[in-house]
């Protein structure tokens, strides 16, 4: 009877892809993969270490599994991912219940780590970050009809608030041919929606081809017959070229959805963040995007309460967000991350002020979303069916304007037939509730 392994993957979709690749390696080594880590012989926590709340979530998950280990329900606990990489010297000392701490460069060796912990050996392994594999098989952990496609690893941007370059290393693009081959394999397995990810997708290719290659890659992905939607996340504004805009405007399968994390609009705040641009430049870019890409959905994120942000600068940010009216927006209170340049900056802002500013922006966005949903009333939209809500007694799914986990849902009823999970149907919007459209399937 093979030993069982379960994994909890926390944080971003990029971490999820790493988890899927580790699960494939473990299955190839003969381990049985189970969905619930709490029901496995060996529990792996693929941790996130991006901001304080994510770190705490990872620690809480480890402590929950530690209780199960104490009760004899699981045999060993392994920590992988960003928290393990970032705090390699502290993890085992402070969380003594862990049996192994594995840096991201050792992901390909996860099977041998499991072998050792089952032999009661304590393991700490941290090879060069660049040994994190970019290619390999995966066990898809999302629903069968959509998958994340990681096109690069690491980051060369030096944003002063961010620990990712320190954790993940330099930017490394995959070759176009390898990405397209993986996308074709996913399509053959039933994937209809590809979600293209990297820490900075717009910088794709510059390290291996000497120029931005995201536009060329997207054209190739749109040629894959069985793929119906291609969605792109994490586009940095300074790298959005005219060529890329043209691809968004002309490729039918490429969703008119651009996720562009701006973080702020005030030029001085952006300069302290080591980000480029200012309000005027960002406004001009957004105007160009909306003029050239019909029915564009813009998603962004902002940081409220960055060190030294004055009330005037925050007011400018709120005015900018209200003027642009992003169809999708998130705002986070600044998290003071140790070993980042911003953490050492003077004029750190009180937690309650940061939280209040973030709340103001999100309350304002609620009104923007209501107006956007009002504009959908009476219109027909395409929806990727995700399931049936037995409490609401209706089906639900995502529109082209909704990325998994970060955006909303569309709820709908049907009279003629029941749609199947993964089907793309048309829904006429009749109403909305809490920013989620409600309607009826019409095909």
């Amino acid at each position: 009877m093979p030993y069982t392994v379960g994994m909890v993957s926390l944080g971003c979709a990029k971490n999820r892809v790493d988890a899927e690749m580790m699960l494939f390696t473990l299955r190839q080594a003969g381990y049985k993969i189970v969905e619930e880590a709490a029901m496995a012989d060996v529990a792996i926590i693929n941790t996130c270490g991006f901001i304080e709340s994510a770190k705490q979530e990872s620690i809480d998950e480890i402590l929950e599994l530690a209780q199960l280990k104490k009760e004899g329900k699981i045999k060993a606990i392994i920590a992988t991912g960003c928290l393990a990489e970032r705090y390699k010297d502290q993890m085992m000392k402070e969380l003594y219940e862990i049996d192994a701490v594995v840096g991201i460069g050792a992901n390909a060796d996860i099977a041998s780590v499991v072998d050792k912990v089952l032999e009661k050996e304590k393991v700490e392994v941290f090879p060069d970050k660049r040994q994190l594999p970019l290619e390999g098989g995966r066990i898809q952990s999302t629903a069968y009809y959509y998958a994340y496609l990681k096109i690069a690893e690491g980051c060369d941007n030096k944003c002063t608030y961010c620990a990712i370059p320190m954790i993940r290393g330099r930017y490394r693009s995959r070759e176009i041919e390898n990405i397209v081959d993986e996308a074709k394999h996913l399509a053959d397995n039933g994937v209809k929606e590809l979600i293209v990810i990297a820490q900075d997708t717009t910088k794709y290719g510059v390290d291996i081809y000497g120029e931005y290659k995201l536009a060329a890659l997207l054209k190739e992905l749109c040629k894959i017959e069985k793929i119906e939607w291609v969605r792109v996340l994490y586009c940095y504004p300074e790298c959005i070229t005219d060529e890329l805009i043209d691809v968004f405007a002309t490729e039918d399968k490429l969703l008119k959805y651009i996720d562009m994390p701006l973080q702020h609009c005030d030029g001085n705040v952006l300069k302290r963040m080591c980000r480029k641009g200012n309000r005027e430049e960002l406004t001009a870019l957004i105007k160009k995007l909306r003029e050239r890409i019909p029915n564009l959905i813009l998603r962004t994120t902002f940081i409220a309460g960055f060190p030294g942000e004055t009330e005037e600068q925050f007011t400018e940010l709120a005015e900018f967000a209200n003027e642009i009216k992003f169809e999708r927006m998130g705002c986070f209170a600044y998290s003071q991350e140790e070993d980042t340049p911003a953490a050492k900056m003077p004029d750190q802002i009180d937690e309650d002020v940061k939280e209040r500013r973030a709340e103001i922006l999100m309350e304002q966005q609620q009104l923007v979303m209501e107006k956007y949903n009002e504009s959908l009333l009476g219109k027909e939209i395409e929806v990727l069916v995700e399931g049936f809500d037995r409490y609401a007694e209706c089906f639900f799914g995502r529109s082209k304007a909704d990325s998994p986990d970060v955006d909303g849902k569309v709820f709908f009823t049907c009279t003629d037939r029941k749609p199947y999970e993964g089907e793309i149907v048309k829904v006429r919007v009749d109403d909305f509730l809490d920013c989620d459209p409600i309607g009826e399937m019409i095909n």
Side-chain angles (χ1 to χ4, degrees):
M1 190 75 170
Y3 285 110
T4 58
V5 179
M7 182 177 291
V8 177
S9 190
L10 303 172
C12 68
K14 300 177 288 295
N15 213 34
R16 179 194 280 264
V17 173
D18 291 347
E20 293 176 345
M21 293 177 73
M22 283 190 280
L23 289 173
F24 180 85
T25 300
L26 288 162
R27 188 173 67 185
Q28 292 293 98
Y31 287 102
K32 182 182 178 182
I33 307 302
V34 296
E35 287 191 15
E36 294 292 332
M39 304 297 288
D41 294 313
V42 179
I44 301 174
I45 306 95
N46 195 35
T47 61
C48 179
F50 182 46
I51 58 175
E52 190 60 39
S53 59
K55 289 186 280 188
Q56 192 57 54
E57 183 185 15
S58 296
I59 292 167
D60 290 344
E61 191 71 42
I62 290 168
L63 293 175
E64 282 185 29
L65 291 169
Q67 183 59 36
L68 295 178
K69 181 185 171 187
K70 185 178 179 182
E71 295 168 4
K73 293 177 181 175
I74 58 178
K75 299 181 188 301
I77 300 171
I78 298 173
T80 62
C82 288
L83 192 74
E85 179 71 33
R86 186 174 182 184
Y87 296 103
K88 59 185 74 172
D89 298 326
Q90 299 156 255
M91 291 286 288
M92 198 79 89
K93 294 174 185 173
E94 298 189 15
L95 296 164
Y96 59 88
E97 301 92 345
I98 297 173
D99 298 279
V101 184
V102 180
I104 62 172
N107 280 9
D109 302 320
I110 190 64
S112 66
V113 174
V114 174
D115 292 343
K116 289 173 182 175
V117 298
L118 285 169
E119 294 295 326
K120 306 297 183 185
E121 186 179 337
K122 292 278 187 177
V123 179
E124 294 179 274
V125 55
F126 303 99
D128 193 304
K129 297 174 177 61
R130 289 171 293 183
Q131 292 186 39
L132 174 74
L134 300 184
E135 314 295 340
R138 296 163 56 182
I139 294 179
Q140 195 176 323
S141 61
T142 53
Y144 82 90
Y145 47 82
Y146 80 93
Y148 293 100
L149 186 64
K150 186 161 76 164
I151 63 173
E153 175 56 54
C155 189
D156 287 346
N157 300 322
K158 294 181 172 59
C159 304
T160 56
Y161 52 81
C162 184
I164 293 298
M166 175 173 57
I167 299 169
R168 289 278 173 172
R170 297 294 303 272
Y171 195 88
R172 293 189 294 142
S173 299
R174 298 173 60 193
E175 293 184 359
I176 288 179
E177 294 78 11
N178 293 344
I179 297 169
V180 172
D181 284 347
E182 182 182 358
K184 288 177 178 176
H185 177 73
L186 290 167
D188 288 340
N189 287 340
V191 168
K192 292 185 178 180
E193 179 186 13
L194 288 175
I195 305 173
V196 176
I197 55 171
Q199 195 63 34
D200 175 356
T201 51
T202 36
K203 200 163 280 185
Y204 169 73
V206 74
D207 55 319
I208 57 175
Y209 299 115
E211 58 183 334
Y212 297 139
K213 281 288 188 179
L214 180 60
L217 172 63
L218 293 175
K219 286 181 183 178
E220 293 302 311
L221 294 177
C222 289
K223 292 176 185 175
I224 300 173
E225 188 175 342
K226 296 176 185 177
I227 296 299
E228 298 193 42
W229 290 1
V230 178
R231 188 185 303 274
V232 185
L233 304 184
Y234 318 126
C235 298
Y236 278 55
E238 63 267 25
C239 301
I240 295 179
T241 62
D242 285 339
E243 181 189 14
L244 183 60
I245 295 172
D246 288 341
V247 172
F248 269 101
T250 57
E251 288 289 347
D252 290 339
K253 291 184 179 181
L254 183 58
L255 300 186
K256 315 313 176 197
Y257 175 107
I258 296 180
D259 172 65
M260 190 167 60
L262 299 179
Q263 313 305 358
H264 215 281
C265 73
D266 179 84
N268 289 322
V269 175
L270 286 168
K271 189 174 182 179
R272 290 200 303 277
M273 289 179 169
C274 203
R275 299 289 296 256
K276 295 178 181 177
N278 55 42
R279 181 174 179 176
E280 292 73 26
E281 291 171 4
L282 293 174
T283 300
L285 171 62
I286 291 166
K287 183 174 184 287
K288 180 163 74 168
L289 289 170
R290 285 183 165 158
E291 285 175 350
R292 291 173 57 178
I293 307 172
N295 303 312
L296 176 65
I297 300 296
L298 270 180
R299 157 168 272 284
T300 197
T301 50
F302 292 123
I303 295 173
F306 188 76
E309 181 191 57
T310 64
E311 282 290 345
E312 291 76 17
Q313 288 167 334
F314 170 71
T315 298
E316 183 183 12
L317 176 60
E319 289 174 351
F320 172 72
N322 193 48
E323 173 194 326
I324 298 297
K325 293 182 170 46
F326 295 92
E327 287 80 8
R328 302 286 184 265
M329 191 201 86
C331 182
F332 305 94
Y334 166 72
S335 178
Q336 187 176 4
E337 292 302 309
E338 58 189 318
D339 300 324
T340 61
K344 304 178 185 70
M345 288 181 179
D347 302 320
Q348 298 287 329
I349 294 172
D350 290 343
E351 289 296 326
D352 58 342
V353 175
K354 292 189 288 187
E355 293 291 346
R356 178 182 60 81
R357 289 179 181 178
E359 286 172 9
I360 288 170
L361 277 179
M362 291 312 297
E363 286 170 3
Q364 178 177 284
Q365 180 63 15
Q366 187 82 8
L367 300 176
V368 172
M369 288 289 294
E370 286 178 10
K371 288 288 186 185
Y372 171 74
N373 282 324
E374 284 176 8
S375 75
L376 296 178
L377 294 177
K379 293 182 179 177
E380 297 175 7
I381 60 175
E382 285 188 294
V383 175
L384 181 59
V385 181
E386 294 187 308
F388 183 79
D389 188 323
R390 59 192 181 91
Y391 296 106
E393 296 186 330
C394 64
F395 290 87
F396 64 91
R398 290 183 291 107
S399 74
K400 292 179 178 180
D402 301 306
S403 190
D405 300 325
V406 293
D407 297 321
K409 303 285 186 188
V410 178
F411 294 88
F412 62 95
T413 56
C414 52
T415 52
D416 296 338
R417 66 175 183 88
K418 292 182 179 180
Y420 61 86
E421 188 177 315
E423 182 181 4
I424 295 176
V425 301
K426 283 190 177 179
V427 172
R428 184 180 59 245
V429 179
D430 303 319
D431 202 352
F432 60 91
L433 179 65
D434 295 333
C435 296
D436 289 326
I438 300 169
E440 183 177 359
M441 189 176 86
I442 57 173
N443 64 336

